[in-house]
Amino acid sequence: KAGVTQTPRYLIKTRGQQVTLSCSPISGHRSVSWYQQTPGQGLQFLFEYFSETQRNKGNFPGRFSGRQFSNSRSEMNVSTLELGDSALYLCASKDRAKGEKLFFGSGTQLSVL
Amino acid sequence: QQPVQSPQAVILREGEDAVINCSSSKALYSVHWYRQKHGEAPVFLMILLKGGEQKGHDKISASFNEKKQQSSLYLTASQLSYSGTYFCGTEVYTGNQFYFGTGTSLTVIP
């Protein structure tokens, strides 16, 4: 089985722009969650989607949004980028019927200049 | 609700043991442990559910103390391949969002 795929691997944007990140979960996994990773802060939960519905949302401003499609692929959008948004964005999928184990993608490294 | 991990960093020589702790201020349903090597995705190590069960995985094991809301990861006879950042992830109830700790950087040297 292919693992969790995130695209693009690297992104460079300037302040004020918006960005869309993509995540393809493992085949059969309907739950996708997103995390922001920065040095010293660890992994901060952004949101989780299951069957196209947002189930949980972390403590991030409304500039961060996401969605999930019928094929379980998910996208995350950040509008009006700020310097502090520079981070590694990880997505993870899981098969809820087989437990809560998360499978992570390699992430998208976003740099905001 | 982010769990607190300690220590923040540890350096070991091959063959030495280490303990990484994860504490929460909230009652927990489960604790997960993941390891992330530099430039790679975090990889699942084990999950401990409410009930205090201790789990093992090769020379890596973990325990979950419900009363203290604390989990500990034990690495025995460390190998070079154990190097990486270890994260604990906690869940207050099943289906709830995960809160990950800030990580413990573990370096094993020859």
Side-chain angles (χ1 to χ4, degrees), chain A residues 2-112:
Chain A
V4 178
T5 304
Q6 289 188 248
T7 56
R9 187 71 179 90
Y10 300 95
L11 263 180
I12 299 176
K13 293 285 187 179
T14 56
R15 279 183 301 174
Q17 287 187 310
Q18 79 164 26
V19 67
T20 299
L21 313 182
S22 179
C23 173
S24 293
I26 290 173
S27 176
H29 287 193
R30 294 161 62 193
S31 171
V32 174
S33 50
W34 289 88
Y35 299 85
Q36 181 193 66
Q37 185 175 27
T38 54
Q41 291 295 316
L43 293 154
Q44 301 289 315
F45 174 80
L46 282 154
F47 26 67
E48 179 191 3
Y49 286 87
F50 179 76
S51 292
E52 302 179 64
T53 301
Q54 186 179 88
R55 295 194 70 255
N56 290 301
K57 189 177 192 306
N59 190 26
F60 277 81
R63 300 185 296 108
F64 291 81
S65 63
R67 59 179 175 167
Q68 187 180 34
F69 302 95
S70 58
N71 61 358
S72 294
R73 190 177 71 85
S74 177
E75 286 183 347
M76 190 191 93
N77 185 274
V78 188
S79 62
T80 320
L81 285 166
E82 299 177 0
L83 296 179
D85 296 334
S86 294
L88 178 66
Y89 290 88
L90 292 162
C91 91
S93 73
K94 67 184 177 186
D95 180 348
R96 306 190 87 217
K98 293 184 179 178
E100 302 297 320
K101 174 180 173 181
L102 295 174
F103 293 83
F104 283 89
S106 296
T108 294
Q109 183 67 54
L110 173 64
S111 298
V112 183

Side-chain angles (χ1 to χ4, degrees), chain B residues 54-89:
Chain B
Q54 181 155 348
K55 287 212 167 183
H57 182 282
D58 195 12
K59 293 190 176 70
I60 300 175
S61 62
S63 63
F64 178 20
N65 187 322
E66 273 179 71
K67 290 182 180 177
K68 293 185 177 179
Q69 302 310 319
Q70 181 177 358
S71 178
S72 296
L73 186 71
Y74 307 94
L75 299 100
T76 58
S78 58
Q79 306 166 16
L80 295 176
S81 62
Y82 286 3
S83 293
T85 301
Y86 289 77
F87 293 97
C88 68

